[in-house]
């Protein structure tokens, strides 16, 4: 059974950092691209970052470039999102997902499995 479990969220002040982790099980982890998405209150789920199966290439939404870094450790079936210089507008539930359908890296439709999410709250 495919399972993704996010952790590392919390309450921080603007300018501080958090590192989110996602533990995957039930999939051939190293064979899939992984992504991070987020959903802010009252908004649709939006793309944050993605990483190729080998970890050789990464992709980011414009609003996080230079601040967030996605990485993975295939030996541990883990994917991470290092979040620096956090802003209040980064407040959202963050989800990791497995890309199991060919398509846009930025589209949630391309990701077939999702975790339950971890809350990130950034105060001003």
């Amino acid at each position: 059974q495919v399972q993704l479990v996010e952790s590392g969220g919390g309450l921080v002040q603007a300018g501080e950092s958090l590192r989110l982790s996602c533990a995957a099980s039930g999939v051939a982890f190293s064979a899939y691209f992984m992504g991070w998405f987020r959903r802010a209150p009252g908004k649709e789920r939006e793309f944050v970052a993605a990483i190729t199966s080998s970890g050789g290439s990464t992709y980011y939404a414009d609003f996080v470039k230079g601040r967030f870094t996605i990485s993975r450790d295939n030996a541990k079936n883990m994917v991470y999102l290092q979040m620096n210089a956090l802003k209040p507008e980064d407040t959202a539930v963050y989800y990791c997902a497995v890309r199991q359908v060919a398509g846009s890296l930025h589209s949630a439709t391309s990701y077939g499995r999702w975790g339950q999410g971890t809350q990130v709250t950034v105060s001003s």
Side-chain angles (χ1 to χ4, degrees):
Q1 187 75 17
V2 177
Q3 183 172 262
L4 303 175
V5 180
E6 300 96 336
S7 62
L11 173 63
V12 298
Q13 293 184 311
E16 295 183 340
S17 299
L18 284 172
R19 190 193 193 201
L20 306 184
S21 298
C22 175
S25 62
V27 298
F29 182 76
S30 63
Y32 296 100
F33 287 27
M34 295 292 294
W36 285 97
F37 290 74
R38 70 186 188 186
R39 187 191 296 275
K43 295 184 177 181
E44 296 294 320
R45 186 173 300 183
E46 63 182 352
F47 171 78
V48 176
I51 188 166
T52 56
S53 57
S54 67
S57 297
T58 57
Y59 308 86
Y60 298 95
D62 288 342
F63 56 81
V64 302
K65 286 182 178 178
R67 298 191 297 126
F68 292 7
T69 302
I70 187 172
S71 61
R72 68 191 296 162
D73 185 340
N74 285 348
K76 298 180 179 179
N77 284 12
M78 297 286 292
V79 61
Y80 308 97
L81 185 68
Q82 178 66 44
M83 309 166 66
N84 298 327
L86 284 162
K87 305 174 181 179
E89 52 263 45
D90 293 320
T91 296
V93 177
Y94 284 72
Y95 303 87
C96 66
V98 181
R99 180 173 179 257
Q100 295 184 312
V101 178
S104 174
L105 292 171
H106 303 87
S107 175
T109 304
S110 299
Y111 295 79
R113 302 292 181 179
W114 299 82
Q116 293 297 310
T118 185
Q119 176 70 49
V120 172
T121 302
V122 185
S123 62
S124 60

